[in-house]
Amino acid sequence: ALQVVEELERLSGNAKIDFIEADLMELGSVLQLGQSLSTLGVDRLHLLVNNAGVYEGVFKGNSEGLEAQWMTNYFAPFLLTRLLIPL
């Protein structure tokens, strides 16, 4: 990810590109991502691409007891979008 940030900075001429890691399988991580953007002083969002996908043939739960495929493919992107609407 750091190589991508460096390339984006080089190509865009913008030295203020941040990388924030989030685990879409964990509700707390998604909430923390929303808070991190506020902490960084982000006041607007120009584009959001929710592109995550996981398929497991068997039930796999996360640490909160939620089904991993449902959390990653549906709930986390929905929650993140709702958290970012004010931006």
Side-chain angles (χ1 to χ4, degrees):
L2 295 178
Q3 289 175 335
V4 172
V5 168
E6 289 173 3
E7 185 174 352
L8 286 171
E9 288 175 345
R10 182 180 59 77
L11 291 172
S12 70
N14 181 357
K16 192 175 185 311
I17 296 177
D18 296 297
F19 167 74
I20 304 170
E21 184 175 357
D23 182 350
L24 296 182
M25 208 178 299
E26 299 294 333
L27 183 61
S29 183
V30 176
L31 292 169
Q32 187 175 5
L33 173 59
Q35 291 173 340
S36 294
L37 293 173
S38 301
T39 304
L40 286 171
V42 174
D43 62 351
R44 77 179 69 152
L45 182 67
H46 296 281
L47 176 69
L48 174 64
V49 178
N50 282 324
N51 183 27
V54 64
Y55 174 75
E56 303 262 343
V58 296
F59 178 86
K60 180 180 177 185
N62 69 4
S63 65
E64 297 152 326
L66 299 169
E67 199 273 327
Q69 183 172 310
W70 179 78
M71 184 67 190
T72 303
N73 295 343
Y74 302 102
F75 189 65
F78 172 79
L79 176 60
L80 182 58
T81 301
R82 295 290 298 162
L83 291 170
L84 299 179
I85 283 176
L87 300 178

